[in-house]
């Protein structure tokens, strides 16, 4: 059947989380991870293939968005916040 | 022939700057760690100094302004790079593209609040929107004999200042008092409306104590008395559900930077059915239906539109997250300390704005003790003076409680770790300050402070 395979969904989810970890800003990093999880949770039980395809396109464009924004954020000076956990990408 | 290796300019400058750091890290020779040379000690100190000044505090002041969402920045950037046209240019593609983007942003804002895109005009912020609404309506309807405006005592400074300006021009203004919980009394509002009233202005969510006014009921009341209703929804849009198809609101001010959008942009909703007329405050080429002349800034307008469309999709998720954090903060502090009062109605408030009064602790010293956390006591526009905020005075808080109030702003980007850190720090600092306070000692012994006659010297 046409539609996005489970493997493709898992891959885009992991890609989104991995891209979110590139944010130098603590608040944006944690927010992006949380929001990706929230969106996947919210639409967990959707079965309509048309809607799923639309969501997949949105996920892909959001991934590009996050990659652009992390690149921009890294190009400018940045100060850490007092309780920052080290980002996995920065260890 | 190879050149002899030499220290490059950059490294030479670094070594010189390190050597030149003037520091006396240890007060006595006895405290100096053994086995380290002077340069090594200086290096260690320099590193620590660099680290401490490089750490920023936790941001808990979302009512003052909010961080710009990266998705909003992503929508704005093309218009600051290559799509730089003037949206009012009708003759070339630069203008057409930016006009299309601005109209799309207008539709996104309208969709968030349940309005028609033709009813939205872009302004430079909620302050300008409030000015246009209040002064515009007052001046337009003065001709037909209506010269009375009603507002509340807890409004934002821009609304109160606009009303004072109108008073100087000869209008009559009624400043309604609020009850102890921050909400206005509908009976008092009804009694204050006269045949000469043209406008009632009540903000939806207060920026200092977070109370949500009964906008639906006020709208019904004003419509029944044929009085126009303006609401300053800067802190409410995108945070609580607002549907202007149901609420009988004629004018609504929206602020970009409270909504995780850019600073410098806002919007004003002006109802078309039934029509409300305004006198324009900015004269010029007649843009924005003649109500606000001036070239629109495509990056800012697109940013506001993107922020509104994100808010529309995520309002439930944000609300769940912010409510959980807000409960965690309040319960965390109130369970570990007594005499911490929340200002404002406990149910009809927006959870992201928590205003707590720590009794027997001075507010400014508490803020200075909490220097790792970016907070405010009172709103940003009044914090320069040492007076307690007029909003707290209007809700009838005691002078000493008003002085010791702190506003915690929780937003979309706040994390659980930040709230836990805040709770721990607040409790620790407040307990430390209370231990130093003689008033607290007297209260612990059971003396009622109100019965003491303080002598003047």
């Amino acid at each position: 059947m046409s539609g996005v395979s489970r493997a493709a969904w898992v891959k885009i989810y992991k890609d989104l989380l991995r891209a979110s970890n590139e944010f130098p800003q603590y608040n944006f990093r944690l927010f992006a991870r949380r929001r990706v999880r929230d969106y996947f949770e919210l639409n967990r039980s959707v079965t309509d293939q048309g809607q799923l395809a639309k969501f997949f396109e949105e996920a892909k464009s959001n991934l590009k968005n996050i990659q652009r924004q992390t690149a921009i954020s890294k190009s400018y000076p940045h100060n850490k916040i007092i309780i920052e956990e080290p980002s996995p990408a920065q260890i | 022939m190879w050149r002899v290796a030499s220290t490059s300019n950059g490294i030479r400058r670094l070594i010189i700057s390190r050597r030149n750091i003037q520091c006396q890290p240890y007060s006595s020779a006895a405290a100096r760690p053994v086995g380290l040379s002077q340069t090594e000690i200086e290096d260690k100190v320099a590193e620590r100094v660099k680290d401490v000044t490089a750490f920023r505090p936790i941001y808990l002041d979302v009512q003052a302004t909010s961080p710009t969402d990266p998705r909003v920045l992503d929508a704005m950037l093309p218009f600051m790079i290559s799509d730089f046209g003037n949206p009012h240019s009708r003759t070339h593609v630069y203008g057409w593209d930016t006009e299309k983007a601005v109209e799309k942003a207008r539709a996104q804002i309208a969709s968030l609040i349940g309005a028609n895109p033709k009813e939205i005009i872009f302004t430079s912020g909620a302050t300008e929107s409030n000015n246009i609404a209040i002064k515009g309506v007052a001046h337009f309807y003065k001709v037909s004999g209506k010269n009375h405006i009603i507002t509340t005592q807890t409004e934002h400074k821009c609304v109160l200042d606009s009303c004072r300006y109108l008073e100087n021009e000869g209008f009559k203004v009624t400043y309604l008092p609020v009850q102890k919980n921050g909400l206005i009394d509908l009976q008092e509002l009804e009694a204050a409306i006269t045949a000469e009233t043209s406008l009632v202005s009540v903000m939806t969510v207060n920026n200092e104590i977070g109370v949500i006014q009964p906008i639906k009921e006020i709208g019904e009341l004003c419509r029944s008395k044929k009085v126009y209703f303006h609401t300053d929804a800067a802190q409410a849009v995108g945070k609580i559900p607002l549907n202007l198809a149901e609420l009988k609101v004629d004018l609504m001010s929206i602020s970009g930077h409270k909504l995780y959008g850019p600073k410098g942009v806002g919007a004003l909703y002006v109802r078309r059915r039934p029509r409300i007329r305004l006198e324009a405050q900015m004269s010029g080429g007649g843009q924005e239906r003649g109500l606000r002349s001036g070239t629109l800034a495509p990056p800012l307008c697109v940013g506001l539109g993107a922020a509104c469309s994100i808010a529309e999709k995520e309002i439930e998720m944000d609300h769940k997250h912010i409510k959980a954090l807000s409960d965690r903060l309040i319960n965390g502090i109130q369970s570990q300390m007594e005499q911490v009062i929340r200002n404002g109605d406990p149910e009809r408030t927006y959870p992201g704005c928590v205003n707590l009064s720590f009794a027997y602790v001075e507010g400014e010293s508490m803020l200075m003790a909490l220097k790792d956390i970016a907070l405010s006591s009172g709103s940003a526009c009044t914090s320069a003076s040492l007076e307690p905020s007029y909003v707290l005075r209007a809700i009838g808080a005691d002078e000493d409680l008003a002085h010791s109030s702190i506003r915690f702003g929780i937003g979309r980007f706040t994390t659980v770790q930040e709230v836990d850190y805040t709770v721990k720090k607040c409790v620790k600092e407040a307990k430390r300050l209370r231990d130093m306070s003689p008033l607290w000692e007297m209260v612990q012994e059971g003396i009622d402070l109100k019965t003491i006659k303080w002598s003047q010297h």
Side-chain angles (χ1 to χ4, degrees):
Chain A
M1 68 172 184
S2 77
V4 188
S5 67
R6 187 191 157 77
W9 276 117
V10 170
K11 179 166 187 341
I12 193 99
Y13 181 71
K14 286 196 180 155
D15 283 343
L16 281 165
L17 289 183
R18 225 173 282 137
S20 307
N21 280 335
E22 298 284 322
F23 269 116
Q25 290 92 349
Y26 167 79
N27 289 99
F28 291 159
R29 195 164 63 232
L30 266 69
F31 169 74
R33 290 209 298 244
R34 185 171 18 104
R35 220 6 79 90
V36 165
R37 227 177 26 240
D38 285 345
Y39 267 110
F40 273 81
E41 270 296 324
L42 183 68
N43 298 317
R44 170 179 270 206
S45 50
V46 170
T47 46
D48 171 31
Q49 288 303 322
Q51 223 179 359
L52 283 177
K54 214 158 44 117
F55 285 150
F56 194 75
E57 292 306 313
E58 247 182 65
K60 281 202 296 200
S61 81
N62 277 333
L63 178 61
K64 286 217 186 69
N65 195 329
I66 296 179
Q67 284 164 343
R68 274 196 299 261
Q69 288 305 308
T70 48
I72 290 173
S73 299
K74 283 191 214 164
S75 324
Y76 286 93
H78 161 71
N79 282 347
K80 288 186 190 262
I81 295 201
I82 207 97
I83 58 163
E84 231 178 276
E85 49 154 76
S87 134
Q90 286 166 358
I91 293 175
Chain B
M1 283 282 34
W2 295 112
R3 247 184 325 140
V4 173
S6 54
T7 352
S8 78
N9 258 335
I11 298 179
R12 199 177 297 137
R13 257 184 266 131
L14 184 66
I15 295 173
I16 292 172
S17 73
R18 283 294 191 89
R19 223 188 291 142
N20 281 347
I21 288 175
Q22 300 293 331
C23 52
Q24 295 297 329
Y26 302 103
S27 50
S28 70
R32 187 189 296 260
V34 291
L36 286 178
S37 70
Q38 182 62 21
T39 41
E40 281 174 60
I41 293 172
E42 278 167 20
D43 284 351
K44 277 193 186 295
V45 170
E47 210 182 289
R48 198 166 304 151
V49 163
K50 185 177 68 153
D51 277 348
V52 161
T53 50
F55 281 131
R56 284 250 186 117
I58 295 174
Y59 192 73
L60 280 188
D61 199 13
V62 179
Q63 276 73 37
T65 186
S66 52
T68 310
D69 197 306
R71 295 167 283 184
V72 166
L73 181 63
D74 194 72
M76 287 167 64
L77 276 176
F79 297 94
M80 297 209 255
I81 300 175
S82 36
D83 294 341
F84 53 79
N86 183 327
H88 311 292
S89 304
R90 295 203 170 276
T91 53
H92 45 71
V93 73
Y94 292 99
W96 303 331
D97 276 349
T98 46
E99 188 188 4
K100 204 162 61 156
V102 165
E103 293 309 314
K104 177 170 167 219
R106 211 188 290 269
Q108 286 168 324
I109 303 173
S111 150
L112 172 65
I113 55 178
N116 188 304
K118 294 191 190 157
E119 296 171 318
I120 306 281
I121 62 172
F122 286 106
T123 61
S124 71
T127 299
E128 187 185 343
S129 303
N130 286 336
N131 270 269
I132 297 176
I134 296 176
K135 292 180 186 164
V137 167
H139 287 147
F140 193 89
Y141 290 99
K142 184 174 192 172
V143 195
S144 44
K146 295 192 178 240
N147 62 350
H148 182 221
I149 313 264
I150 300 178
T151 183
T152 69
Q153 287 177 0
T154 53
E155 290 293 309
H156 193 264
K157 264 269 157 60
C158 56
V159 170
L160 294 177
D161 211 55
S162 304
C163 291
R164 198 178 323 136
Y165 175 85
L166 291 176
E167 270 185 321
N168 284 342
E169 285 193 334
F171 287 83
K172 292 200 294 280
V173 181
T174 304
Y175 299 93
L176 285 179
V178 291
Q179 301 163 46
K180 276 210 92 81
N181 60 0
L183 301 168
I184 65 165
D185 187 352
L186 287 164
Q187 263 83 19
E188 276 190 35
L189 174 60
E190 187 161 4
I193 296 180
T194 67
E196 285 135 18
T197 309
S198 58
L199 184 70
V200 169
S201 174
V202 179
M203 69 193 325
T204 314
V205 171
N206 189 285
N207 55 325
E208 285 189 41
I209 51 182
V211 290
I212 305 177
Q213 301 284 359
I215 296 297
K216 201 170 162 79
E217 288 81 22
I218 302 176
E220 303 277 345
L221 177 62
C222 291
R223 188 62 66 82
S224 68
K225 303 262 183 164
K226 302 228 190 319
V227 171
Y228 292 115
F229 179 36
H230 161 252
T231 181
D232 177 5
Q235 298 283 352
V237 173
K239 303 190 174 150
I240 61 171
L242 291 170
N243 187 357
L244 289 171
E246 295 164 2
L247 300 173
K248 294 190 163 53
V249 169
D250 298 299
L251 294 159
M252 179 185 270
S253 309
I254 300 166
S255 174
H257 68 112
K258 306 284 165 48
L259 191 50
Y260 311 99
K263 289 183 237 317
V265 69
L268 176 65
Y269 160 81
V270 183
R271 193 176 273 273
R272 284 170 84 228
R273 287 197 191 95
R275 200 184 184 88
I276 177 167
R277 309 284 300 277
L278 292 179
E279 183 196 72
Q281 301 297 307
M282 294 278 289
S283 317
Q287 286 87 4
E288 298 295 283
R289 284 167 53 201
L291 294 172
R292 204 271 181 187
S293 302
T295 303
L296 290 175
L300 297 177
C301 299
V302 163
L304 178 55
C308 287
S309 88
I310 292 171
E312 195 179 353
K313 281 194 290 213
E314 303 187 357
I315 193 169
E316 272 307 316
M317 297 187 224
D318 281 343
H319 187 263
K320 207 166 68 151
H321 176 70
I322 291 174
K323 183 96 178 63
L325 287 184
S326 167
D327 289 341
R328 198 182 175 99
L329 176 73
I330 300 176
N331 293 337
I333 294 184
Q334 283 185 332
S335 65
Q336 296 180 52
M337 273 177 62
E338 39 178 53
Q339 305 256 23
V340 173
I341 299 116
R342 183 175 188 190
N343 295 312
D345 193 276
E347 274 108 61
R348 283 173 291 183
T349 37
Y350 172 59
C353 178
V354 176
N355 192 310
L356 297 176
S357 278
F358 295 86
Y360 313 109
V361 171
E362 218 274 314
E364 293 293 329
S365 44
M366 181 78 171
L367 275 185
M368 283 195 285
L370 294 174
K371 61 182 177 346
D372 307 340
I373 311 175
L375 290 168
S376 99
S377 73
S379 71
C381 12
T382 59
S383 57
S385 68
L386 286 176
E387 281 255 316
S389 112
Y390 59 90
V391 172
L392 292 175
R393 202 179 297 136
I395 64 172
D398 288 334
E399 274 295 309
D400 43 353
L401 282 181
H403 268 109
S404 56
S405 75
I406 299 199
R407 175 185 73 187
F408 299 88
I410 298 170
R412 182 190 280 175
F413 297 105
T414 316
T415 64
V416 174
Q417 289 96 319
E418 289 178 330
V419 168
D420 287 342
Y421 182 90
T422 306
V423 167
K424 230 174 22 186
K425 206 89 202 294
C426 268
V427 167
K428 178 170 144 222
E429 296 299 329
K431 284 197 171 140
R432 182 180 66 92
L433 287 169
R434 276 184 180 168
D435 283 340
M436 290 198 289
S437 155
L439 290 180
W440 180 244
E441 259 178 60
M442 286 158 58
V443 165
Q444 297 291 75
E445 288 166 17
I447 305 175
D448 180 10
L449 291 182
K450 297 217 194 317
T451 59
I452 299 180
K453 285 188 170 32
W454 303 101
S455 66
Q456 254 180 326
H457 36 147

